[in-house]
Amino acid sequence: MADIIKEIHDAVVAYRKDAIVEKVEKAINEGIEARRILHDGFIAAMDVVGEKYSQGDMFIPEMLAAAQSMKLGLEKIKPLLQGEVAAEDSKGVVVIGTVKDDIHDIGKNLVAMMLEGAGFEVHDIGIDNPPENFVAKVKEVNARVLGMSALLTTTMPNMKEAIDVLKDEGLYDKVHVIVGGAPVSQQYADEIGAGGYAADAVAAVEAVKNLLKN
Amino acid sequence: MRNIFSKRLSVEVFLDNLLCSQGFKERAQVRPEITEQAARALDLALQFVEPAFVLDRFPVGPAGENKVKVGKIELNMGDNACLLEKAEEAVIYVTTIGGKLEKAVNELSRRGNWELGYWLDCAGVLALNAVDREVWTLVESMAEQEGYGVGMSLSPGSLKGWPVEEQRGLCSLLDTNRVGVSVNASYLLVPYKSASNLIGMGPGYNSARVLPACDYCVSEGNCWMKHAQGGA
C-alpha cells in the first residue's frame, strides 16, 4: 500500500476530518487512481471501523465521525470516479429509509454509511416513508436492494405494506429486500417476505453482499 | 385534582452524562473533536427543548387477570398488573420536550450531518429523562404529604408485557393537547420526544423514591440511559 493510501486509511479510522481532504488531494496529485483511494483507503478503513465497533473498541459517535471523514474525502474523488470506475467497481444501488410513522433513523444512517463505505451507491430517502416512497425511489434509481428500518413493533407492519406494494408493481422479484431495527428478527423478515435481515450496521453490509451474490 | 400541567420545567443535561450515555466514561479520555460535537449538540438542545408535562391522579383497583382499573378505564398490563397491587391511587403523566429538537435532528440528518444529529438526538432523550425526573420529584412530594409511598415509573411499550397499544387508553385520561402531545395511528406519542407514565401510590409502598422499572424494561437494563447515570 502506498504511504499516502495508508495515511488516508488511517485518517478515516482515526476520524481525522481536519486532515482527510489534504491527504486525498495529495494522493490525487501523486497520480493515484481514485478507485484505488476508494478501495484501499476508504472501503478498507470502514471495514476496520466496522470491526472495531463490533468488538466494542469504538462507540457509535466515533463510527459516525469516521464516516463523516470518509464522506469529506469521497466528495473529492467523486468527479474522478465517474470517469474511472468500471462496472465491476459498482457493488450495486441501494435505496434505504425508515418506514411510515418511524422517525428513528440512527440505525438506518449507520447502515447507509457502512454500505457507502463498502462501495455501494446508497440513496437514503430519510424517515417516515409510506410504501409508495420506497417503490418510487427503487424505480427511479433502478435499485437492486431496498433496505427498510423500523424501531417499533407498531411500525414493523409497514415493512410488509411496502413489500406488498413492490409485489403489486411487479418489482418484488427484481429487488432484494433487507429489513432491520430493534424489534425485527430473521423470523419476522421471513414472515413478511424480506430476503435479508441484519441485526446491526456491520451485519447489514454482509447481508447485502450475500443477497447480491444470489 | 384535574390535569396539572406546566411548561415551566427546567432541563439540565450535562456534558459528562451525554458522553457517558455513549460509552465514554471519562471526559479526559475522549478525543477533543468528539467532546466538541457533544458540547455543540448540548448547546443546540437547550435552545430547542420546550419541556412540559400534564399529570393527574386516579383511583386504582383490580379488574380481572392482568388488568387494572385506573379511573374509568381498564389497562391490560400483563404480569405487570401485580406492580400496582399496593396502589390506592395512580399518578398518570405525560412529559414532552416539544417538537423543535426533533425537527433540528431531522434537518441535520437530511443534510448529512449524522454526527451532530446523533448527538442532538441523544441530548434530547436525556432532556426528556430530566423532565421525567422533575415530575418524579413532584410525585414524591405529593405522596409524602399524604403519608404514601410510591412505586416504579411504568410506561406502556417500555415494559415487558405492557404493549405500546395501551398508550391510547392511558393518555385518554389526560388532556395531552394542553402540552401539544397526541397519540398517532401507530400508538406513538407525537412529538416523539414525549413519554407517558404511570406511578402507583399508597400506604403499602415502602419506597419514598420513584425508581425506573429497569428490571421489567424491554431493554433488559442494556440501555444507554443507564450508562448516562453512570451505571454499568
Side-chain angles (χ1 to χ4, degrees):
Chain A
M1 191 189 290
D3 286 350
I4 188 61
I5 293 287
K6 184 169 186 323
E7 283 179 30
I8 289 168
H9 172 280
D10 292 350
V12 171
V13 175
Y15 44 93
R16 292 285 312 276
K17 281 181 281 187
D18 57 328
I20 192 76
V21 171
E22 187 190 326
K23 289 183 190 302
V24 171
E25 282 173 348
K26 189 177 170 199
I28 293 168
N29 291 337
E30 284 181 13
I32 294 173
E33 286 181 324
R35 59 192 288 190
R36 189 159 166 230
I37 298 172
L38 176 71
H39 286 281
D40 298 345
F42 300 150
I43 294 177
M46 290 309 287
D47 280 345
V48 172
V49 168
E51 200 173 315
K52 278 175 171 270
Y53 173 71
S54 295
Q55 289 171 355
D57 294 332
M58 236 176 165
F59 299 123
I60 289 175
E62 294 174 298
M63 199 172 170
L64 290 168
Q68 300 270 190
S69 306
M70 180 199 71
K71 275 188 87 135
L72 286 172
L74 201 56
E75 288 306 312
K76 280 280 152 195
I77 61 166
K78 256 185 185 168
L80 302 170
L81 280 172
Q82 282 162 7
E84 213 178 83
V85 168
E88 65 268 24
D89 288 316
S90 177
K91 287 193 174 160
V93 180
V94 181
V95 167
I96 191 167
T98 75
V99 296
K100 185 164 165 35
D101 282 344
D102 211 311
I103 60 137
H104 301 88
D105 66 350
I106 290 153
K108 181 266 295 171
N109 290 346
L110 284 170
V111 172
M113 168 198 101
M114 294 304 289
L115 285 170
E116 205 163 63
F120 290 91
E121 180 185 324
V122 179
H123 295 265
D124 183 348
I125 61 169
I127 56 169
D128 193 12
N129 288 287
E132 295 73 23
N133 283 14
F134 288 109
V135 173
K137 197 68 182 179
V138 162
K139 281 183 183 171
E140 180 194 329
V141 299
N142 198 22
R144 292 188 64 199
V145 178
L146 169 61
M148 290 187 284
S149 162
L151 198 79
L152 302 154
T153 51
T154 51
T155 56
M156 275 162 64
N158 298 331
M159 291 174 159
K160 184 175 182 310
E161 282 185 23
I163 289 174
D164 288 344
V165 177
L166 275 180
K167 286 177 180 169
D168 293 345
E169 298 277 330
L171 290 168
Y172 181 66
D173 296 331
K174 296 172 187 161
V175 179
H176 297 283
V177 178
I178 179 167
V179 293
V184 181
S185 63
Q186 181 66 60
Q187 186 189 342
Y188 185 73
D190 295 341
E191 277 172 24
I192 64 172
Y197 158 76
D200 60 42
V202 178
V205 174
E206 285 311 307
V208 170
K209 283 179 183 171
N210 287 334
L211 283 175
L212 290 175
K213 277 181 198 163
N214 300 327
Chain B
M1 180 184 309
R2 290 301 303 162
N3 280 219
I4 298 177
F5 82 105
S6 173
K7 292 186 177 179
R8 291 191 299 276
L9 293 162
S10 64
V11 168
E12 290 175 338
V13 181
F14 298 104
L15 184 56
D16 284 337
N17 293 90
L18 187 55
L19 290 167
C20 215
S21 74
Q22 296 308 303
F24 303 104
K25 297 288 179 203
E26 288 179 37
R27 200 190 296 190
Q29 292 173 349
V30 184
R31 289 254 301 274
E33 53 269 52
I34 293 286
T35 309
E36 191 184 303
Q37 287 284 324
R40 213 175 134 204
L42 206 49
D43 284 344
L44 281 175
L46 295 176
Q47 288 173 38
F48 294 129
V49 164
E50 293 177 327
F53 75 92
V54 56
L55 173 152
D56 210 342
R57 289 166 62 170
F58 301 90
V60 177
E65 194 180 359
N66 294 336
K67 287 184 180 173
V68 177
K69 187 162 189 195
V70 179
K72 291 178 182 172
I73 67 159
E74 282 183 10
L75 295 172
N76 192 347
M77 299 180 70
D79 293 342
N80 307 294
C82 67
L83 298 173
L84 290 175
E85 275 172 2
K86 295 175 186 169
E88 285 195 358
E89 288 185 61
V91 173
I92 312 282
Y93 68 89
V94 165
T95 49
T96 186
I97 59 163
K100 286 185 181 171
L101 184 137
E102 264 163 38
K103 280 185 187 157
V105 169
N106 293 340
E107 181 56 22
L108 285 166
S109 272
R110 199 186 59 76
R111 292 192 337 231
N113 195 344
W114 299 324
E115 199 184 350
L116 187 59
Y118 180 74
W119 278 117
L120 183 57
D121 194 61
C122 295
V125 176
L126 292 190
L128 182 63
N129 188 248
V131 175
D132 263 350
R133 283 174 186 274
E134 268 194 62
V135 176
W136 290 6
T137 305
L138 176 67
V139 173
E140 286 160 2
S141 69
M142 278 179 183
E144 189 185 3
Q145 282 172 15
E146 293 167 43
Y148 282 176
V150 290
M152 288 179 287
S153 175
L154 311 173
S155 182
S158 298
L159 222 54
K160 280 181 249 176
W162 194 13
V164 72
E165 285 82 351
E166 290 277 298
Q167 189 107 265
R168 196 178 298 287
L170 187 71
C171 291
S172 72
L173 292 165
L174 301 171
D175 184 6
T176 59
N177 288 331
R178 293 184 80 174
V179 289
V181 174
S182 58
V183 182
N184 75 7
S186 298
Y187 307 98
L188 306 177
L189 297 181
V190 180
Y192 293 98
K193 292 276 187 296
S194 305
S196 63
N197 279 276
L198 180 158
I199 299 170
M201 288 199 323
Y205 286 106
N206 295 323
S207 176
R209 292 277 168 269
V210 176
L211 294 169
C214 294
D215 291 342
Y216 303 88
C217 178
V218 290
S219 300
E220 297 183 336
N222 184 28
C223 79
W224 52 263
M225 289 306 303
K226 211 167 179 180
H227 292 299
Q229 306 304 327

